[in-house]
Amino acid sequence: MGEPEFRATGVRIGTRLRSLTRAGQVRISDGRLELLTSYGSEIDSAPVQAVRASKPWFGPDDRATADLNGQRYLLTLGDHDPAPGEPGPPAARRFIEAVRRAAGRGD
């Protein structure tokens, strides 16, 4: 397995009404998007070409949605990128850009 193209830790992952983890991980590696618990157990994964990532119309800047395998996940990432060397999840905008890039839909 190569170096991940995108990795975020400390991400709150949930579905419509249920929180699945408050400190999960999101990783894009080898053409797959993986949603993991804080312990590294897989919640869901799919090829990035089959994933739709977007920003909710109404809501804070730190949220993104990811549609995988017919399920919509709400991801709460950072509202801004952390300073270099500082812990914390990257901005939701960076996650959306990373999905599009990995799927060949963006720059």
Side-chain angles (χ1 to χ4, degrees), residues 15-27:
T15 57
R16 194 177 303 247
L17 297 174
R18 188 172 139 206
S19 177
L20 301 173
T21 182
R22 291 188 294 165
Q25 302 173 42
V26 177
R27 185 171 53 200

Side-chain angles (χ1 to χ4, degrees), residues 32-33 42-47 50-52 66-73:
R32 289 190 70 77
L33 172 70
E42 185 175 292
I43 295 171
D44 205 349
S45 71
V51 174
R52 196 175 94 210
D67 295 339
L68 283 83
N69 303 320
Q71 179 70 45
R72 176 167 287 174
Y73 295 95

Side-chain angles (χ1 to χ4, degrees), residues 18-67:
R18 188 172 139 206
S19 177
L20 301 173
T21 182
R22 291 188 294 165
Q25 302 173 42
V26 177
R27 185 171 53 200
I28 298 174
S29 181
D30 296 329
R32 289 190 70 77
L33 172 70
E34 297 173 304
L35 303 178
L36 308 168
T37 65
S38 56
Y39 299 109
S41 301
E42 185 175 292
I43 295 171
D44 205 349
S45 71
V48 288
Q49 288 83 8
V51 174
R52 196 175 94 210
S54 61
K55 177 137 180 33
W57 283 31
F58 302 102
D61 286 340
D62 63 347
R63 296 210 176 141
T65 59
D67 295 339

